[in-house]
Amino acid sequence: MNRIILSLFVAVFTLTVNAQITTPQPSPLQKIEQIVGLTDITVEYSRPGVKGRTIFGDLVPFNEIWRTGANGNTKITFSTDVTIDGNKIEKGSYTIFSVPTEKSWDIVIYEETKSGTPKKLDETKIVAKMNVPTQNIPMVIETFTISFDDMTTNTAILGIMWENTYVGFKIETPVEEIVTKQITTVMNGPSANDYYAAAVYYLENGKDIKKAQTWIDKSVEMMSDSPKFWVLRRQALIHAKAGDKKGAIKAAKESLKLAEKAENAGYIKMNTESLKEWGAM
């Protein structure tokens, strides 16, 4: 009986110790995503509230580095290169730091994203720094908010507002560069890789082998003096299936030579076996 009571006591004690109470975060995390032109931009930040306090110049001191939010650092991620205040920024993730003053803020795009606000910023990690004027808001913005404003086909203003203050800075995305590159690529026709992929698909799915032969030859031709041994291997197989043993042997020998140079045992073995089968060794 005592043993049963003891077991029940241990079970209740364990449940009590392991029990957890979950409550809302005072500064909840928000993740916002926006497509600007052809670029995906994501901002992750925490949103503190005013809660009757004086924010700028008090809770957030003037002339000191601020993480531009609460909890962890505010992070911004770009899917392509972008331009901010004349600075070209490579695609990737960055921290947004700020140094507020009464009439303007210094906004810093910082390449280190680990959590924590340094006492002094490392100049080598600053990828963009700009001074932007503050704008007064005629009502209280209770919850710290970051937004994408004034969108165009290739730009957006990243707006930051809290209490009675708004600041914003422009992000420019390379729409013209991306579209021009796409147009050039399309107008130039299929690439060597496109021809290769089409030929392999036709080979592996029993489709028109003559078309596959034309496409694989075009792929090898476009590779000029640097065809890959795996491409030549496919060329050999396609020519063999199309009944062109001479072409198959030629491609297999070239593939074998390059495979030996690359020390790729698998392709050396496959090409050697095929050449023996076709009476070339």
Side-chain angles (χ1 to χ4, degrees), residues 18-189:
N18 291 336
Q20 294 182 345
I21 297 174
T22 303
T23 59
Q25 292 293 315
S27 301
L29 179 69
Q30 182 174 58
K31 180 178 180 180
I32 56 173
E33 298 176 341
Q34 180 65 59
I35 297 175
V36 181
L38 298 170
T39 303
D40 296 319
I41 305 177
T42 303
V43 179
E44 299 170 76
Y45 71 108
S46 293
R47 307 185 66 194
V50 173
K51 300 177 182 176
R53 301 170 292 183
T54 299
I55 302 302
F56 297 110
D58 190 359
L59 180 67
V60 177
F62 288 143
N63 299 304
E64 292 186 13
I65 300 169
W66 181 43
R67 66 185 62 197
T68 322
N71 303 328
N73 293 348
T74 292
K75 185 171 76 171
I76 188 166
T77 302
F78 308 107
S79 67
T80 71
D81 296 351
V82 300
T83 301
I84 297 177
D85 195 41
N87 299 281
K88 187 171 183 180
I89 298 174
E90 295 181 354
K91 67 178 181 179
S93 297
Y94 302 87
T95 292
I96 302 175
F97 286 122
S98 53
V99 181
T101 69
E102 189 173 358
K103 294 185 178 180
S104 67
W105 289 18
D106 284 337
I107 303 289
V108 177
I109 309 300
Y110 201 68
E111 68 177 17
E112 188 173 280
T113 58
K114 70 179 184 180
S115 187
T117 305
K119 291 182 180 180
K120 185 178 180 180
L121 296 176
D122 184 343
E123 293 292 330
T124 65
K125 296 179 180 179
I126 295 175
V127 296
K129 182 177 181 180
M130 67 220 84
N131 184 262
V132 295
T134 60
Q135 300 178 43
N136 292 326
I137 302 174
M139 76 286 288
V140 174
I141 304 298
E142 172 64 29
T143 306
F144 178 71
T145 301
I146 294 179
S147 58
F148 289 93
D149 306 324
D150 300 343
M151 301 276 296
T152 71
T153 56
N154 69 317
T155 67
I157 302 296
L158 192 78
I160 301 169
M161 53 185 168
W162 197 21
E163 195 182 27
N164 300 109
T165 299
Y166 174 94
V167 296
F169 62 90
K170 182 183 286 188
I171 301 171
E172 300 177 67
T173 64
V175 171
E176 183 175 352
E177 179 183 331
I178 294 172
V179 172
T180 300
K181 186 176 180 180
Q182 290 176 345
I183 290 171
T184 301
T185 299
V186 170
M187 294 307 177
N188 284 340

Side-chain angles (χ1 to χ4, degrees), residues 195-213 215-216 230-231 233-242:
Y195 280 118
Y196 172 74
V200 170
Y201 178 80
Y202 266 42
L203 170 66
E204 293 181 346
N205 290 276
K207 294 184 177 294
D208 190 335
I209 197 63
K210 293 298 183 182
K211 279 188 178 180
Q213 188 176 14
W215 290 335
I216 196 67
W230 58 87
V231 175
R233 170 65 182 170
R234 293 288 190 174
Q235 186 184 36
L237 294 176
I238 290 171
H239 276 259
K241 190 170 182 179

Side-chain angles (χ1 to χ4, degrees), residues 9 11 26 32 70 114 120 126 182 189 220 232 239 246 250 266 269 276:
F9 175 78
I32 56 173
K114 70 179 184 180
K120 185 178 180 180
I126 295 175
Q182 290 176 345
V220 171
L232 291 167
H239 276 259
K246 183 178 178 181
K250 181 176 181 294
K269 182 175 184 294
K276 287 180 180 178

